Amino acid sequence: MKPVPFDYVRPTSIEETCALLAADGDARVIAGGQSLVPMLAMRLARPARLIDILRLPELSGVRDDGNTVVIGAATRQAATEHHPLIKAKAPLLAKVFPWIGHPATRRRGTIGGSIAHADPSAEIPLVVATLDAEIVVREASGETTINAGEFFLGPMVTAIPQGGLLTEIRLPVWSQPRLGVSFHEVNARHSDFAFVCAAAQVGFDETTHCTACAVGIGGLGEFPVRLDRAAKALIGTDLDHAAIADAVDAAMAELDIWGDLHASAEYRRRVGGVLARRALIDARQAALECPQ
Amino acid sequence: MSTAPRRLRYVSANRRVREDRRFVVGMGRYAADVEAANALHVALVPSAHPAARIVSIDGSAALALPGVHYVLTGEELAAATEPLMNGLETPEVKRYPLALKQARYVGEWIAAVVADTRALAEDAAELVEVSYEPLPYVIDAEAALRPDAAIVHPPHGSNVLLDRTFVWGEVERDFAQSQRQLSFRVVWGRSSTVPIETFGITAIWDPWRELLDVWASIQMPKYSDQIARAMRLPANAVRVHQDVDVGGSYGVKRGIKHTILCSYLARRLGRPIRLIEDRLENMRAGDAHGPDRIFDVSVAFNTDGIVRSMKMRALDNVGAYAGRAPFQLGKPIGAIVGPYKIQSVEYRAQSVTTNKAVQEAVRGFGQSPTNYAIETAIDKVAGALRLDRIEVRRRNFIRKGEFPYLIPSGTRYDSGDYHTVVAKVLDHVGWDALQTERNRLRQSGLLAGIGIAACLEPSGGNSTFEPLLNPKNTTSTWMESCRIHVDALGDIVTTVNTTSSGQGHETLVATVIGEVLEIDPDRIRVVRPDSLESMPSNSPVGSRMAIMLGGAAYHAAGKLKQKLIGIGAHQFGAGEDAVVYANGGVATTAGDRRLAWAELVNIAHRNWHLLPPGMEPGLETNQIYQVPTGGTLPTPDGRVQMYPCHSFEFHVVLLAIDPDIGLPKIHRYVIGHDCGTVINPHIVKGMTLGGIAHGIGAALFEEFAYDDQGQMITQTFMDYLLPSSQEVPEVEIVHHCTPSPYTVLGQKGSGESGYLGAPAAISSAVNDALAPLGIAVAKLPIRLAALGDAIAAARQSSKA
Ligand SMILES: Cc1cc2nc3c(=O)[nH]c(=O)nc-3n(C[C@H](O)[C@H](O)[C@H](O)COP(=O)(O)OP(=O)(O)OC[C@H]3O[C@@H](n4cnc5c(N)ncnc54)[C@H](O)[C@@H]3O)c2cc1C
């Protein structure tokens, strides 16, 4: 479990990083290394050159941009977990950290690294997909913004072009007066990747009408999915249990789902639905408990 | 000879474990810490196929890399060495460190690459070109028995390594006369003890001294003999250094193939050779998997719950080579009826080869899977009769007054008081309250269950299962030794003649010797001589060291004490019966004359003229200690005294399952434990807690799983799931002490405690939880998603 020989560079600016990436097709970004280093050790990844972006100051940090919360790609998961702005304005993201690995891996692992790695069961990509966040990618030729819906293409496959650097994530901030979020996950051991997980964020007006709704499921197959039809069907309802069950069941029936040693496809379909329902019920409860 | 001390000072006392000091501060010295100047490193070329003929191996591209020294193939190694030891008479099932002509499982070592660094060796290993001709393969044990199955070792003629049926007592009569019968199947998945430290070795050959030096992470009986045989060296040309800490084992650290590979390379290349397994090598080809077993069990019983007879067939999937697997079907014979008075037993032990990795000894040596089968039977009897599961156990338990108790397969259990342990545990948990809590959980919508398991830990291991399963083997001793030396300044040095893998043997010998000599154990230095300087040892297997090393130390100390008494009596002009030994000194019974430790030592070391006539000068004694129940060979119908001592454990578990998800959560875990006299309470507690964690792993998480293509799909800790501190609940231990009449201090074994009953207890709890749905699980590990699927199917069909 020793990597193939590689070269290591630590650029000092985003421009330099992009130039290095553009110049070398066998170069690869390394951030926290929590996914890449094991892949190197098992020789599943064999880059000729690693470009270490962890110390680029422009890539780190969390800022309030009005309608969005902007997180630099190289911001550590642990720093995000404890950031007051995340707790206040991106509560769904704040919820998932305790489920991601261990305190030690969160101290090293980055937000952008998790998204770029695109494990179908990973929690941060699920939040990004559920909220349809924007992902900003820089190349030597310029900057593009990709919606989460077009970003995840398959297991460990994303829309980041060859030579692209993920620079920031923009999470939309909802304006509803009453907001509730919830996250549920099943795995064999608390710190593992999910067999299946579900996230929900709902907004209410002053009455008991749901005015905004997003729900997503991870661990089902190629990438985290956002249940758009279910969300649409639920907006305008009181989010009662029956409405939730109908909407979620209809949405689950259309999904393409994989099984493996740990959990069958039927399990993931059934329990994915259970978790999505629980997430919506809990999110509704949390929203209704918000002070008006 | 020596009489037991009246009041125990150090034994059972709340004293620190001396090894912990170095482990806690990170100052253990492991195989990978051994530095050898100029060493070369090995990496392995693994087979990609479960079965394939090796057509050719081309190492030229690897050798062309600067810094690469050698590419070794199976052909060269096999020509220069003897096959690795195989305890059965199956001469056509030959095993060498590197595959010879044919690969038999995915990951099997095809070639070894030697280079200046491990990283370079791995680069070069990728360049070795192996051309294979894939062959038919077989993964499943029952498939391997079919007449048209692919044969793993064609010269052997079939996949069957062992198929023997034992009948002890009037089984057919007892079945015919019993009022009820039931039959079932349970399956124990392939798991193991997976140590944090993988196997590691450094070997150096010195041609001028004709001496092979080995430092290894080893826990294996007769390691140096096995090296000598395979290397065609005299045993006195092999020096195994035993002052190496072993970072976890419980049976599996037996890297004999690694050792022969490195020893050969060291001799061939004239350089020190080092191989530290990486995790992938350890998991897929460390040849350290555990039992992989199907049990078909029938029991005959009466309506009062008394179980009269049992038929058990155990079919074990040993993998590609024999390893120690067949014998792991043998040890359970020594406790085949568990703690119960079952009068007759038919036991069919079947071992078959398949194209999976090789098994090694794993904690309990087959006992934990067997207990799972026995305890499932008792639960099922209770279920069939609608009797209380604990009451059925009570009715079948051997009673306190019936020991020593002879079981049908020939072992006499030493002692026990099962009813009292159970009563103490039920009292501790509050049995009624526990049932109320289960019912409350059920009412809250969960599936909740209470698990029960009772079982024995046969301990003090000898290897009687070897002659039992192989009549050509006539081994009837499995000795252990201890030497004590008192230097001229009066300081004590004693020996442990083997490596230890966390069992606390240094604490054990020091405590026992301190007890006998009435000297603070912390003043006793414990050393580990190398194998050339050692007395005979059979290493820490079969939960034996408290009994065997403890016994050897006790007797060696007794001899030393006797010598001091002789010296004292001679000075006093008194008979030996007119003097007493106390606190390291000797005094006349009248108390008018006394000699302190330092004076006695001085006489022994410097004053030959003061010694009794004929006494050797100096102060050194030793003991080679035989298993306390002696040693006999099995009768032709397979009856034999297996282990001398039998610890008892009784588990009670409360568990609840979220029915929509299948996730089981342990709410309470209580174990009652009786291992006789406890020598060090911290060690016994650590063993028990670790054993339960290990058992939870086997029950719920761990499996070396293979797919239909023969690929192992759990090669890393992402898929081979070890329970972590988040999954292992707090465990409450209830102690009881029934001393063994056979051992020097009444001690029994404890190295397997917890692990032997936990899987049965967890399974019992899950099945109690599932009972309202009318379903049961019969396979370990119980994966939560499979559990969820089974619950969903049961709810679906009850709706329909
Ligand atoms: C024991 C353990 C448990 C874990 N458990 C979980 C878990 O439960 N849930 C979970 O989601 N994750 C888990 N992880 C993975 C962890 O969250 C990783 O930190 C994360 O997946 C990758 O982030 P990183 O910064 O470490 O990226 P790296 O490992 O450095 O990189 C990962 C990939 O992303 C690419 N990359 C990184 N940053 C960029 C960028 N800015 N632009 C373009 N490409 C980039 C790299 O080239 C590489 O391909 C676990 C990891 C470990 C070791």
Side-chain angles (χ1 to χ4, degrees), chain B residues 446-490:
Chain B
L446 297 172
L447 292 166
I450 296 176
I452 304 288
C455 74
L456 297 184
E457 177 176 353
S459 48
N462 50 30
S463 67
T464 312
F465 41 77
E466 293 185 5
L468 185 62
L469 299 181
N470 179 0
K472 286 199 179 159
N473 185 324
T474 60
T475 307
S476 66
T477 179
W478 202 244
M479 62 208 136
E480 194 59 43
S481 317
C482 183
R483 179 164 63 215
I484 303 175
H485 178 74
V486 182
D487 64 30
L489 299 182

Side-chain angles (χ1 to χ4, degrees), chain B residues 151-180:
Chain B
I151 295 181
V152 179
H153 294 268
H156 181 65
S158 85
N159 287 320
V160 178
L161 289 182
L162 172 75
D163 186 354
R164 181 154 173 203
T165 301
F166 298 90
V167 180
W168 301 294
E170 299 290 330
V171 175
E172 293 307 335
R173 185 202 66 193
D174 291 341
F175 265 78
Q177 290 179 356
S178 296
Q179 290 159 324
R180 299 280 298 269

Side-chain angles (χ1 to χ4, degrees), chain B residues 643-656:
Chain B
Y643 285 20
C645 302
H646 299 81
S647 300
F648 177 72
E649 59 193 50
F650 183 69
H651 302 241
V652 175
V653 185
L654 175 64
L655 168 152

Side-chain angles (χ1 to χ4, degrees), chain A residues 16 33 48 55 68 75 77 98 133 140 153 178 182 184 204 231 243 279 281:
Chain A
E16 189 191 349
R55 301 192 202 183
T68 57
T75 313
Q77 293 162 10
L153 304 180
R178 294 196 291 170
S182 175
H184 283 267
F204 279 80
I281 291 168

Side-chain angles (χ1 to χ4, degrees), chain A residues 28-36 53 73 77 99-102 105 109-110 112-114 116-117 122-123 160 164-166 191-193:
Chain A
R28 186 141 178 189
V29 170
I30 182 163
Q34 296 304 291
S35 294
L36 185 53
I53 59 162
Q77 293 162 10
W99 293 89
I100 305 173
H102 310 259
T105 65
T110 65
S114 176
H117 184 59
E123 292 83 359
I160 302 177
L165 172 72
L166 201 165
S191 297
D192 287 344
F193 278 99

Side-chain angles (χ1 to χ4, degrees), chain B residues 32-246:
Chain B
D33 296 324
V34 173
E35 286 186 26
N38 230 4
L40 296 177
H41 300 257
V42 179
L44 287 318
V45 177
S47 169
H49 300 274
R53 196 171 72 77
I54 300 168
V55 180
S56 64
I57 301 174
D58 180 357
S60 53
L63 282 166
L65 280 188
V68 175
H69 294 258
Y70 208 65
V71 175
L72 178 66
T73 65
E75 301 259 355
E76 179 185 336
L77 185 61
T81 56
E82 293 299 314
L84 304 179
M85 192 190 80
N86 163 16
L88 292 175
E89 290 305 311
T90 51
E92 297 305 329
V93 182
K94 289 198 178 64
R95 179 178 169 221
Y96 291 99
L98 300 177
L100 181 60
K101 297 194 172 79
Q102 186 180 329
R104 293 188 169 84
Y105 64 94
V106 170
E108 183 174 9
W109 299 351
I110 304 300
V113 179
V114 187
D116 285 341
T117 66
R118 167 72 193 205
L120 188 55
E122 287 190 28
D123 294 343
E126 291 188 333
L127 300 177
V128 174
E129 277 191 35
V130 185
S131 113
Y132 296 100
E133 182 187 303
L135 296 170
Y137 56 87
V138 60
I139 298 300
D140 176 72
E142 290 187 299
L145 284 175
R146 283 186 208 120
D148 60 343
I151 295 181
V152 179
H153 294 268
H156 181 65
S158 85
N159 287 320
V160 178
L161 289 182
L162 172 75
D163 186 354
R164 181 154 173 203
T165 301
F166 298 90
V167 180
W168 301 294
E170 299 290 330
V171 175
E172 293 307 335
R173 185 202 66 193
D174 291 341
F175 265 78
Q177 290 179 356
S178 296
Q179 290 159 324
R180 299 280 298 269
Q181 299 182 11
L182 62 81
S183 301
F184 63 91
R185 167 173 283 204
V186 283
V187 179
W188 176 277
R190 179 178 273 243
S191 56
S192 192
T193 43
V194 181
I196 293 177
E197 181 210 32
T198 57
F199 186 78
I201 173 178
T202 298
I204 302 180
W205 171 250
D206 183 335
W208 312 114
R209 293 176 181 80
E210 298 190 9
L211 189 59
L212 177 70
D213 277 298
V214 173
W215 292 261
S217 174
I218 194 80
Q219 180 207 357
M220 177 154 77
K222 306 191 163 88
Y223 179 50
S224 53
D225 297 0
Q226 290 192 45
I227 300 172
R229 248 186 236 130
M231 290 297 295
R232 299 175 181 151
L233 285 171
N236 64 8
V238 178
R239 180 164 63 185
V240 176
H241 296 264
Q242 298 181 141
D243 57 344
V244 173
D245 289 316
V246 179

Side-chain angles (χ1 to χ4, degrees), chain A residues 130 132 174 201-202 210-216 226-239 243-244 246-248 250-251 254 280:
Chain A
T130 303
D132 201 19
W174 289 11
Q201 178 163 318
V202 300
C210 169
T211 53
C213 176
V215 54
R226 177 178 145 108
L227 305 185
D228 277 327
R229 270 205 13 200
K232 253 192 220 113
L234 289 170
I235 292 173
T237 72
D238 286 354
L239 278 188
I244 288 175
D246 288 348
V248 169
E254 342 181 290
L280 284 162

Side-chain angles (χ1 to χ4, degrees), chain A residues 59 63 70-73 134-137 166-170:
Chain A
L59 282 186
R63 87 190 130 82
V70 183
I71 307 172
E134 289 177 344
I135 294 153
V136 182
V137 174
L166 201 165
T167 52
E168 58 188 38
I169 299 95
R170 298 194 182 133

